[in-house]
Amino acid sequence: NYGSPAAYLKAAYLCEASGRETEALIYLYRYFLINNDPVAYAKILELAEKQELNGYERTDNDRLRSLIARFSTSISLAIGALAMLSLAFMVASRLKQNKPATMRLAFLSLVILSLLFLFNNFSQLPVKAVVISRDAWLMNGPSLAADRVSAVTPGEMVEVVDQTDVWIQIKLSDGKKAFIKQNFLTQI
């Protein structure tokens, strides 16, 4: 699923040239996730608008989360180093029998470790997927017996919320949630 940026860009170009815009969008978006190229993003928006597709718009929150995800290892290491430094100072002040400083440093260490825990567990980007089937129906539950909510256009980008067997719960660009069969999506 993960190729080189050049391969994604070439595949996007070939797909668009042969009239397979949905596939072109998928490859171009994968390229964009690697390089964050504004020209590629402009082309994504152009293709999505041409096909009247939703889900490709990015908010400031998306940009911030993407930036954080790109540097997550460095941020985690920096927070971990601060925690280790704080713990080292705490041990040093304990050895000097400076109880007030030890308590402050213990509290600071706890705050930094909590920040590290929160960052590592809650800073991941949401999983995105693109609808790839013309016969895809959105259902109100994870079953063929569930009521149909609506049809969905091939090429729509959605956010993956959860999975139950072969059913994926998705969130549409308008915030509504529904279920779709797994084989009707490709994950980005």
Side-chain angles (χ1 to χ4, degrees):
N1 196 16
Y2 297 102
S4 73
Y8 285 144
L9 199 55
K10 184 174 183 177
Y13 175 77
L14 292 172
C15 287
E16 183 186 9
S18 63
R20 300 184 331 243
E21 282 88 6
T22 297
E23 288 178 69
L25 274 168
I26 292 167
Y27 288 120
L28 200 53
Y29 200 82
R30 287 179 178 162
Y31 170 80
F32 173 72
L33 289 176
I34 295 169
N35 283 347
N36 204 23
D37 181 355
V39 175
Y41 184 63
K43 183 66 175 178
I44 289 167
L45 291 178
E46 175 189 318
L47 286 172
E49 185 179 321
K50 178 181 168 186
Q51 296 180 66
E52 299 178 9
L53 299 174
N54 296 313
Y56 292 92
E57 304 80 18
R58 290 173 45 106
T59 64
D60 288 340
N61 186 29
D62 293 333
R63 287 182 200 56
L64 177 62
R65 290 182 76 176
S66 180
L67 183 66
I68 289 170
R70 182 169 297 225
F71 295 106
S72 65
T73 302
S74 299
I75 294 169
S76 290
L77 287 173
I79 294 171
L82 282 174
M84 295 300 288
L85 188 62
S86 175
L87 289 170
F89 280 126
M90 184 179 72
V91 169
S93 69
R94 176 79 173 147
L95 292 174
K96 291 180 182 179
Q97 297 180 345
N98 186 349
K99 189 172 182 174
T102 303
M103 294 305 291
R104 285 191 299 269
L105 287 168
F107 178 74
L108 179 62
S109 297
L110 182 64
V111 168
I112 292 172
L113 289 172
S114 298
L115 180 63
L116 184 62
F117 172 80
L118 291 171
F119 179 79
N120 285 323
N121 288 296
F122 299 105
S123 67
Q124 286 77 25
L125 291 173
V127 176
K128 299 281 190 162
V130 174
V131 177
I132 57 172
S133 175
R134 295 190 189 287
D135 302 323
W137 281 93
L138 298 179
M139 312 297 273
N140 70 353
S143 166
L144 286 174
D147 292 331
R148 287 182 179 176
V149 176
S150 66
V152 64
T153 308
E156 290 283 325
M157 184 177 288
V158 296
E159 183 178 322
V160 174
V161 176
D162 198 11
Q163 181 169 357
T164 304
D165 283 333
V166 298
W167 292 93
I168 306 288
Q169 185 180 26
I170 60 170
K171 184 164 77 171
L172 301 168
S173 60
D174 63 5
K176 294 179 184 173
K177 292 183 181 178
F179 288 86
I180 188 170
K181 285 191 74 172
Q182 180 180 12
N183 58 328
F184 293 154
L185 297 174
T186 188
Q187 190 171 320
I188 297 289

